[in-house]
Amino acid sequence: MTYERDATTLELPWPFAGREDERELVRRSLTGVRRGIVVTGPAGCGKTRLVTEAVRGTDCARAAGTPESRTIPFAAFAHLLPESVTLHRAVQSLSGIRTLLVDDAHLLDDASAALVHQLAVHGRTRLLVVATDGAPVPYAISRLWTGELLPRLALEPLPEEETARLLTAGAGPLDALTVNRLRRLSQGDLRLLRDLLGSVRGLLAPVPDTGERAWRGPVPLTAAIRERTASVLGRSCPLERETLDRLAFAEPLPSDPDDLDLGALEVLESDGLVEVDDRGAVRLAHPLYGPVLRAAAGRLRARRLARTPQVYAAALDAESAALARRIDQADVRAVATPVGEWLVAEGGSLPGRYAAVRARFARLRGEVREAAAWAREGLRSDPGDASCRTELDRARATVDSLGELDPDLDPEALTDPYEAVRLGAPEKVADRLGGVFARHADALARADGPDLDEVAGELERRGYLLFAAEAHAQAVRAHRDPRAARHSRTRAVALARRCQGARTPALSGLVLGELTTRQRQIVTLAAMGLTNRQIAERLTLSVRTVGNHLYSAYARLGASDRGALPWLAQAPEAQPA
């Protein structure tokens, strides 16, 4: 069921979050002897916002390509050039500009593209050029990086943890299931993510006993969302539209191609509207297509095409069994659970038995906030479910109510013997474990750093990201070679960052003891989100000095980027997850 919501486009405060290191790279490319940089990436990944932040406060001229002006010579630079100009004269006219930002360079007319290329070859102007992946690019622009005139920064979609930071900065703390849903719906398009967040902002409800808010219920179909899908869905003929509607009302389950018109499917697949997986199952290619199509169908059509609740119940049981089987096999790599996710997203009732298994699976993967959210969903439907209550308590303990490790810990009293290994007391439980967990206990008992790193790699391959982070952290203390210890620390921090704020005894060793007092000051402020300039003003230092201290801190701590600092800047108290 989907409803419409009339809403004007909201200009929400959308702070810059994530990509701090990319921003610094762009800034450095515009200083000294450097000639500039080309930034590329998929549509909507935040290229323009990144470069805008990078040149903020500088004297920078701007130009941009547009679809409408691709046939007009020098159209992108009309505001910077005389009315009638040759390429040679255009280069001369712009050579006095210190910094030039060229956005949407893939849309430049040929003359403008040639001008940018000539500026890169002969001019003194520092160039910041932005282009979209997958779009045809003028040859003169692609030669900027293929001809090695300028370095290229290829942006990937914003990582999951950075997306969560961005959403938190824009709307306050959101529960993990809401973050996941918004990320799935936006498919890495930050402009669409902003539209979605604006449309659901008034629908967010407080999550009891937390500072978070959650969104449950149908997708609000705002004008922006309709506009993004209309140009794609409006091209289909009646037969293709019937096929699309049948797929929309089958969600979240895939459809069997044998039940659909093969000719229509081939056309829809060619147009990128449907996807067929390795098993032959068919789905709509974008998660927003379903809500839009269902909203456009009449009541009688919806009644004819909708599946019965019994079909979804059987699929939910199958998902639960698959999750339990993977846990028994000590393999918690990501498994598709579209039915459970759809049921929660739509605000439906989730059986406690399913929610408990889903919460445990998430916790073992290190997704501790997600584990808590699944457990809460089960308790919402069945407040007395003991398994959900246990999972909620364990997930909370890993993030919130942390206590000091008891030195008199009795490993025999633990329900799960592997917890003794994670708590650093493996000797009494090694004979109660098997497989990679027994190897972890043995390596820790021998204080063998290389073996602990190997165990961590195996745990990571199996999907146990939190356990892998802990094994690497234990290896830091076991290594005799400082370089090996720094490498283990780097891996521990990188994995811990993906565990949604989990803090455990093993990870409490990731602290700042190796730094000088000044470095600890600067790293702590950087971890709080302050820029180099803000830190410099607060500590009465030069920006260059702050940057040098951070660079030295990275080297000592084995950190690869600024995003690791929040982890390194805290020495959490601990209790087993």
Side-chain angles (χ1 to χ4, degrees), residues 419-503:
E419 288 186 356
V421 180
R422 300 175 59 208
L423 289 167
E427 296 82 1
K428 295 184 179 181
V429 298
D431 59 344
R432 298 165 59 189
L433 297 169
V436 67
F437 306 117
R439 288 174 52 202
H440 188 177
D442 177 65
L444 182 60
R446 292 184 290 105
D448 190 320
D451 276 6
L452 282 168
D453 282 332
E454 286 190 13
V455 166
E458 178 62 22
L459 288 167
E460 182 181 357
R461 285 188 289 274
R462 291 173 175 266
Y464 294 98
L465 300 188
L466 178 56
F467 299 168
E470 291 173 330
H472 277 306
Q474 291 166 340
V476 173
R477 294 185 285 272
H479 278 301
R480 297 182 180 180
D481 182 353
R483 290 176 298 179
R486 284 195 294 270
H487 175 75
S488 298
R489 183 190 294 274
T490 299
R491 291 302 305 147
V493 170
L495 290 169
R497 287 172 60 193
R498 298 165 60 186
C499 293
Q500 301 179 351
R503 296 183 289 172

Side-chain angles (χ1 to χ4, degrees), residues 49 178 194 252 355 360 432 467 469 484 489 506 519 523 535 541:
R49 182 62 187 272
T178 298
R194 177 175 180 169
R360 185 184 179 199
R432 298 165 59 189
F467 299 168
R489 183 190 294 274
Q519 287 171 342
V523 165
I535 296 171
L541 300 171

Side-chain angles (χ1 to χ4, degrees), residues 317-327 335 361:
D317 289 340
E319 284 185 1
S320 180
L323 292 170
R325 186 163 54 251
R326 294 291 288 272
I327 292 173
V335 176
F361 191 84

Side-chain angles (χ1 to χ4, degrees), residues 337-413:
T337 54
V339 179
E341 290 165 2
W342 179 80
L343 190 60
V344 168
E346 294 292 318
S349 177
L350 194 69
R353 64 184 183 279
Y354 176 93
V357 173
R358 190 66 185 82
R360 185 184 179 199
F361 191 84
R363 176 174 57 82
L364 292 174
R365 285 177 49 79
E367 298 164 342
V368 291
R369 294 189 184 278
E370 186 171 332
W374 282 108
R376 289 190 193 96
E377 288 298 321
L379 291 171
R380 184 167 64 87
S381 303
D382 185 359
D385 191 286
S387 296
C388 286
R389 175 56 60 185
T390 297
E391 288 298 334
L392 179 58
D393 290 342
R394 299 192 74 177
R396 279 175 169 172
T398 318
V399 180
D400 302 322
S401 54
L402 303 175
E404 292 290 348
L405 175 62
D406 182 0
D408 300 320
L409 169 73
D410 179 10
E412 299 290 345

Side-chain angles (χ1 to χ4, degrees), residues 91-433:
V91 173
Q92 288 183 324
S93 297
L94 298 185
S95 60
I97 293 178
R98 178 181 176 82
T99 304
L100 176 62
L101 191 164
V102 184
D103 201 1
D104 288 332
H106 56 287
L107 298 177
L108 289 178
D109 60 273
D110 291 339
S112 293
L115 172 57
V116 174
H117 187 272
Q118 289 300 306
L119 287 171
V121 173
H122 302 294
R124 293 170 295 180
T125 301
R126 293 188 174 94
L127 294 170
L128 181 49
V129 182
V130 181
T132 296
D133 288 340
V137 179
Y139 179 72
I141 295 299
S142 63
R143 284 291 295 169
L144 293 176
W145 64 87
T146 60
E148 299 184 353
L149 290 171
L150 295 176
R152 179 188 183 191
L153 171 61
L155 292 184
E156 299 291 335
L158 202 64
E160 179 177 343
E161 61 268 22
E162 299 292 355
T163 303
R165 285 180 58 202
L166 182 62
L167 289 170
T168 298
L174 303 176
D175 89 313
L177 299 184
T178 298
V179 171
N180 289 347
R181 186 183 185 190
L182 288 168
R183 186 169 49 84
R184 283 195 303 270
L185 288 171
S186 62
Q187 298 281 287
D189 187 330
L190 298 186
R191 292 174 300 185
L192 179 55
L193 183 68
R194 177 175 180 169
D195 290 341
L196 286 166
L197 185 60
S199 68
V200 305
R201 196 177 180 86
L203 306 176
L204 295 171
V207 179
D209 302 321
T210 75
E212 300 173 341
R213 294 187 296 167
W215 166 44
R216 304 290 186 265
V219 177
L221 298 182
T222 63
I225 293 175
R226 285 186 175 280
E227 182 180 350
R228 288 175 182 272
T229 57
S231 60
V232 179
L233 298 178
R235 297 199 305 260
S236 54
C237 71
L239 183 57
E240 294 161 6
R241 184 56 179 261
E242 171 70 15
T243 302
L244 288 172
D245 283 349
R246 292 181 65 182
L247 289 170
F249 280 94
E251 287 186 333
L253 301 176
S255 295
D256 188 333
D258 293 338
D259 298 333
L260 303 169
D261 183 272
L262 182 58
L265 275 181
E266 290 178 350
V267 173
L268 293 172
E269 184 183 23
S270 177
D271 289 344
L273 295 179
V274 303
E275 295 176 344
V276 183
D277 64 22
D278 293 338
R279 298 182 179 181
V282 184
R283 295 183 186 275
L284 295 171
H286 196 287
L288 282 179
Y289 291 166
V292 172
L293 288 165
R294 290 192 294 273
R299 292 186 178 181
L300 293 178
R301 188 178 185 81
R303 185 182 301 172
R304 174 172 66 85
L305 296 175
R307 295 192 177 186
T308 63
Q310 291 80 4
V311 175
Y312 296 107
L316 200 65
D317 289 340
E319 284 185 1
S320 180
L323 292 170
R325 186 163 54 251
R326 294 291 288 272
I327 292 173
D328 290 341
Q329 295 169 348
D331 182 355
V332 293
R333 287 173 294 178
V335 176
T337 54
V339 179
E341 290 165 2
W342 179 80
L343 190 60
V344 168
E346 294 292 318
S349 177
L350 194 69
R353 64 184 183 279
Y354 176 93
V357 173
R358 190 66 185 82
R360 185 184 179 199
F361 191 84
R363 176 174 57 82
L364 292 174
R365 285 177 49 79
E367 298 164 342
V368 291
R369 294 189 184 278
E370 186 171 332
W374 282 108
R376 289 190 193 96
E377 288 298 321
L379 291 171
R380 184 167 64 87
S381 303
D382 185 359
D385 191 286
S387 296
C388 286
R389 175 56 60 185
T390 297
E391 288 298 334
L392 179 58
D393 290 342
R394 299 192 74 177
R396 279 175 169 172
T398 318
V399 180
D400 302 322
S401 54
L402 303 175
E404 292 290 348
L405 175 62
D406 182 0
D408 300 320
L409 169 73
D410 179 10
E412 299 290 345
L414 293 173
T415 304
D416 180 358
Y418 184 57
E419 288 186 356
V421 180
R422 300 175 59 208
L423 289 167
E427 296 82 1
K428 295 184 179 181
V429 298
D431 59 344
R432 298 165 59 189
L433 297 169

